[in-house]
Amino acid sequence: MNLTGSGSPLAQADRLRSPGLATGELGILRSTILPSFALHTTLDLAAWAASRATDKAELKDWNWPASQVINAWWSAVGHQVFYNNVAPQTAWRALSWTDKTLLSLVTAWGTRLFARIASRTLRRGADDARYVQLKKQNPVGFWKEMLWKQYLPEAAFLTLISLPFTLPFRLTSPSVALDADVQAALRAFGVGLFGAGFALEVLADSQMEAHRAERQDLCRSGVWSIVRHPKY
């Protein structure tokens, strides 16, 4: 079976990135920002409903890594499957090496962070102390306030910070032409940069967990003393 010819599934899928998308402001707005905002808003509303039903506002934190991974997969594979009737495996094979690497790294990051946050919630049983305090301050209007001040604004913030791993899947052509050697160097640099950041995040979280197992004051040693909020 010919997978590389002009009429092959791979060639067709490669042409199926939303047609006519350009790197201009209007093109990015229509192709990436608005769809991402709609997706994150939907997921945040679902998280808000689940949080309210279970009385656990910390479910919002579960949505932080999960929604970014979902958005990356939707941008890379899902929208082609849904809108263009392309088989998932065909859409995946049509991705470039760089696209597959980017998607895999984002998935690894989001899966680890989601597992860490979810396991922390399950071990604790009760809601996060931050949200417990907010509930005490506003027992009647807590959930309405959370919706407008945290859940929905977070959808806009997630739309912005997810652009580096959604925009590459939405544009039909690169804005800058680079030769093969430069592309290879940039790929290696990107993977190395991600690896370093990912390692720092894992190490900082591990040090913080070890610190909290011994005492509850602020951790002022190790990587955590420098990073403080590694997932950001």
Side-chain angles (χ1 to χ4, degrees), residues 12 20 23 33 35-36 43 48 61 69 72 77 80 82 98 107 109 137 143 157 166 176 208:
Q12 293 174 13
T23 54
I33 295 178
S36 289
L43 293 173
W48 177 80
D61 299 336
V69 173
V77 176
Q80 292 197 26
F82 185 80
T98 303
T107 302
W109 166 82
Q137 294 174 1
W143 288 109
F157 187 57
T166 55
V176 179
M208 184 59 179

Side-chain angles (χ1 to χ4, degrees), residues 202-212 219 221-225:
V202 173
L203 182 58
D205 282 339
S206 299
Q207 291 176 343
M208 184 59 179
E209 291 294 333
H211 177 83
R212 284 183 172 175
C219 181
S221 61
V223 178
W224 180 268
S225 65

